[in-house]
Structures are given as structure tokens and as C-alpha cells.
Amino acid sequence: MRPAALIFDVDGTLAETEEAHRRAFNETFSEAGLDWHWSRETYADLLRTTGGKERMRVWRAAMGDGPTDDEIPALHRSKTARYGDILASGGLALRPGVAELVATACARGQRLAVATTTNTPNVEALCQACWTQPADRVFDVIAAGDEVAAKKPAPDVYLLALERLGLRPADAVALEDSRNGVLSARAAGLPVIVTPSAYTAGDDFTGAQAVIPDLTPDNLPTALR
Ligand code: XBP
Ligand code: MG
């Protein structure tokens, strides 16, 4: 049976966004006069901590010094603005199959939602960059990291998406790219399909219903085709 709704993770699932995030973090640090720089290798480790503000706090603990808890929100707002500018400058593409799946599901009357660790302006920036449409024209429901008490791997953001959809977990399916995403969706009771991304290829996806290279029709489970 077809699920009534598809709930998409954003970073790594809709598009390979993490290099744009990393660039935004590094440019923000540099502009603020911080001698912080996250290499790809460092960032791969840091991605285990979901959420940019949380990631900065983990890095401060590793460095032994840095911005205070009071300063981090403003630093993160600068990062969000910079990320928006990076996406608006072009060059970001949806991952293979995403545009088609979204269009097909919408035409079939399935509801479309987002459950993400990132914040609402970043979902907006991605939808404008990749669909040239506002996020609420692409998705019926958006549930974002700063709206919930606990980010992934906690179930909160998926539970919020389900509540806004007015659906039970068995009526929807989550599409994810990371272990933290799988844990979050499973904790909310959702079946999960995984498309590993550049930074998550080595993750443990135990609990996923299927792990597929991308969301093109040939790879999709029958119920999503
Ligand atoms: C991705 C993340 C996010 C982004 C940064 O998780 O962990 O924190 O890297 O976003 P998901 P913010 O794929 O579950 O969205 O800086 O806005 O927190
Ligand atoms: Mg992700």
C-alpha cells in the first residue's frame, strides 16, 4: 500500500548540502576573528552532533576555548545568513530522483513533509535554490530543528511532522541519509528508506527498511514508485 505521506530529511537527502554548511561555518568563524577551521575530516566527525549550535559547543569543548553559550546563537545566525547567500549564488542540485519523486508523489495526492535538524530559513533557501519556489509550495508540512526540544537522533522532529500532517507513523515513510536520521525516524515509529550521502556513506543504517543509492524510480521500493 502507498504511504499517505513522504517525510524527507533535508541535508544529505534532498541535496548534498554539507559542504555549503561547512563553508558557511568556516567563513563565519573567520569573519568573527576566531581561529577555528573545520576540515572535511573534522567535519565528518562533528556531523555526529546534529545542529550547528550544538556542533559549535562540542568544538569549543575540544578546543578548550571559544564563544560563550550566550554568543553562539548570534554566531549561528551569521552562519545561517551566509549559508543562504551561498545557496542563492547557485550551483546546488537536488540529488538524483528527488525532483521526480516529489512531483510524482504530489500528483498522486500523497502529502509531502520535511523533518530536519537544520532551521527553517535553510529549508527556504534550499527550496528557492532548487525548485525556485517557496518551501510551503513544495512541502505541505515543515518541521525544523529549532522548533523541537531535542534534535535527531531524538524522535521529536518526526513526531512534530506527523502531528502537523495529522497522520500515524504507519501511514508515512521517512527518507533519510544518516544514522542519526534513521534513529530519529525509527524512534518516532516510522519506516525509513536510506540514501547514503557523501558524509554518511560509512554510517550504520540498522533499522532501515531499505538502503538504496538514490531515489531514482528503479531504486525505489515498489510502494514508492
Ligand atoms: C544535518 C545537520 C545540520 C546541518 C547544519 O542534519 O546536522 O545541523 O549540518 O544545520 P539533517 P544548522 O540531515 O538531519 O538535517 O547549522 O542550521 O543547525
Ligand atoms: Mg541528513
Side-chain angles (χ1 to χ4, degrees), residues 4-223:
L6 309 187
I7 311 180
F8 289 88
D9 166 54
V10 172
D11 295 305
T13 300
L14 293 180
E16 290 280 10
T17 51
E18 288 301 350
E19 282 302 284
H21 281 296
R22 189 171 70 88
R23 182 179 151 198
F25 280 115
N26 283 331
E27 290 180 1
T28 302
F29 299 154
S30 165
E31 193 187 58
L34 277 170
D35 63 348
W36 285 8
H37 180 86
W38 292 347
S39 66
R40 278 175 195 247
E41 206 178 17
T42 299
Y43 197 62
D45 284 340
L46 285 171
L47 276 175
R48 293 199 194 111
T49 303
T50 57
K53 293 186 283 290
E54 293 80 355
R55 203 167 289 151
M56 289 188 209
R57 286 200 285 269
V58 164
W59 187 245
R60 182 188 60 199
M63 294 292 100
D65 196 15
T68 63
D69 282 353
D70 286 345
E71 290 166 341
I72 281 179
L75 198 60
H76 189 258
R77 278 195 294 280
S78 301
K79 178 262 168 178
T80 298
R82 200 166 276 273
Y83 177 79
D85 290 345
I86 292 169
L87 262 54
S89 71
L92 184 74
L94 293 169
R95 287 191 61 192
V98 170
E100 188 175 347
L101 178 57
V102 164
T104 309
C106 181
R108 280 199 293 248
Q110 290 171 298
R111 319 267 309 284
L112 296 168
V114 149
T116 178
T117 291
T118 202
N119 54 45
T120 316
N122 292 351
V123 181
E124 200 57 58
L126 185 141
C127 289
Q128 286 293 353
C130 295
W131 275 282
T132 59
Q133 286 196 59
D136 65 2
R137 293 282 297 275
V138 183
F139 296 99
D140 301 297
V141 158
I142 292 159
D146 286 342
E147 297 186 281
V148 292
K151 294 179 180 172
K152 298 175 188 178
D156 303 31
V157 78
Y158 276 105
L159 292 174
L160 181 62
L162 285 167
E163 184 189 315
R164 288 179 177 165
L165 285 164
L167 292 174
R168 294 165 308 160
D171 299 325
V173 64
L175 298 133
E176 270 291 350
D177 73 307
S178 71
R179 170 169 174 75
N180 280 324
V182 171
L183 292 173
S184 172
R186 293 300 297 137
L190 286 154
V192 196
I193 309 291
V194 175
T195 52
S197 60
Y199 272 107
T200 65
D203 278 12
D204 172 2
F205 299 119
T206 303
Q209 197 173 74
V211 180
I212 55 180
D214 59 43
L215 296 175
T216 51
D218 286 352
N219 288 321
L220 289 173
T222 323

